[in-house]
Amino acid sequence: QRRVFTAIRMEDNAPVMVKLSTDERTLHHEIIALKTFQGHGCVNLLDTAPALGAILLERLLPGQSLETLFPHNDAQAISHAARVMHQLHQAPVPTDQQLPTLADWLDRLLHAPSPLLPIELVTIAQQLATNLLATMAAPVLLHGDLHHNNILASGDNWIAIDPHGVLGEPLYEVGAFVRNPIKPLLQEADPVEVIMQRLDAFANLMHAPRERVVAWSFVQAVLAAQWATEDDADPLPWLAVARILEREITPLT
């Protein structure tokens, strides 16, 4: 569990955020990511108190999220998100810290999938994940959950917050954006068209094979459903996105 509070720093009246977490391991990974991403499109970390489960961050102003651009300015939101991804992925890769890899994140889906998930989707996700992991380029430090509400306005810029910190392929980062904001997305008159436009745009902006963008987005949607079942949450929205993406899967090259 975590809680976030706004505050004013006494020494200079600067607006700040205090974030508290009871998950020591996750907080440790976030601190590593924040320190590494410093100056690379991520919110600035000001201080840490791991023993208290607390970190101090700059408060981004005006602070609205990219979700405010959905659905009418989705193309603009995609452009902002791709720019933030590019900035994040220029950060140095930590070599002396213990951060999870995408293989770690996918381990339960690959070897202990939830029986509540449709076996046909799990099977496809397992095959794609195995192939993707085996053909990745050199890993970079990923945010890991770069959806709309984790990208906030800071002046005229857009900045990432709440990085998870995981090592892997840059294209993995696209999946969280493709399937969010999940409920408003699925309530759109044509969510399929929205998702197709996003896949095309990210493939173009990231100079990447569309089939690989599709594959990672599909695997992530099934993984999100897996995590939902583990948290006793509803996996159906994530599975709905997976069904849409399933139609676009082609052999990886």
Side-chain angles (χ1 to χ4, degrees):
Q1 293 185 351
R2 68 176 189 176
R3 301 185 71 180
V4 178
F5 303 91
T6 61
I8 298 294
R9 190 165 56 184
M10 291 182 60
E11 61 199 64
D12 57 4
N13 291 324
V16 296
M17 302 290 294
V18 179
K19 184 174 180 179
L20 303 176
S21 174
T22 58
D23 189 331
E24 182 179 343
R25 184 169 178 269
T26 299
L27 184 65
H28 176 61
H29 293 161
E30 181 173 357
I31 290 172
I32 295 171
L34 285 165
K35 288 181 177 179
T36 307
F37 283 141
Q38 207 92 342
H40 293 277
C42 194
V43 65
N44 286 322
L45 177 67
L46 303 177
D47 203 354
T48 67
L52 301 176
I55 57 177
L56 183 68
L57 303 157
E58 69 170 324
R59 193 194 323 169
L60 302 178
L61 297 173
Q64 74 269 23
S65 79
L66 271 186
E67 186 174 353
T68 59
L69 300 183
F70 182 80
H72 302 297
N73 295 304
D74 203 48
Q76 186 179 1
I78 293 168
S79 178
H80 292 318
R83 189 178 303 112
V84 171
M85 291 176 196
H86 178 74
Q87 291 175 315
L88 293 174
H89 300 161
Q90 302 308 303
V93 179
T95 57
D96 58 347
Q97 305 280 3
Q98 293 299 312
L99 285 175
T101 66
L102 290 183
D104 296 325
W105 276 19
L106 289 164
D107 184 70
R108 286 185 62 78
L109 180 61
L110 288 171
H111 301 111
S114 169
L116 300 177
L117 302 181
I119 187 62
E120 68 276 12
L121 293 182
V122 170
T123 299
I124 296 171
Q126 289 174 330
Q127 293 171 345
L128 286 174
T130 299
N131 193 330
L132 288 164
L133 290 172
T135 56
M136 284 198 309
V140 301
L141 178 60
L142 303 174
H143 179 287
D145 192 26
L146 202 60
H147 56 72
H148 297 62
N149 288 311
N150 277 341
I151 304 177
L152 305 185
S154 177
D156 295 329
N157 297 318
W158 293 87
I159 302 293
I161 63 168
D162 292 344
H164 286 225
V166 60
L167 302 176
E169 178 174 355
L171 291 183
Y172 178 90
E173 209 84 279
V174 173
F177 188 99
V178 165
R179 65 178 184 269
N180 277 292
I182 185 69
K183 290 183 180 179
L185 171 62
L186 294 176
Q187 290 169 354
E188 279 292 293
D190 192 352
V192 174
E193 179 63 20
V194 174
I195 290 175
M196 294 305 106
Q197 290 178 353
R198 289 176 172 181
L199 296 171
D200 292 340
F202 277 114
N204 180 56
L205 289 168
M206 300 182 78
H207 308 290
R210 186 179 187 274
E211 63 268 21
R212 202 166 180 92
V213 176
V214 171
W216 271 124
S217 298
F218 174 83
V219 168
Q220 269 204 59
V222 179
L223 180 61
Q226 166 90 10
W227 286 339
T229 63
E230 293 174 358
D231 293 336
D232 295 322
D234 183 9
L236 292 181
W238 315 120
L239 294 174
V241 173
R243 293 287 188 194
I244 293 172
L245 292 166
E246 181 186 13
R247 311 170 198 172
E248 296 297 306
I249 293 172
T250 57
L252 295 173
T253 56

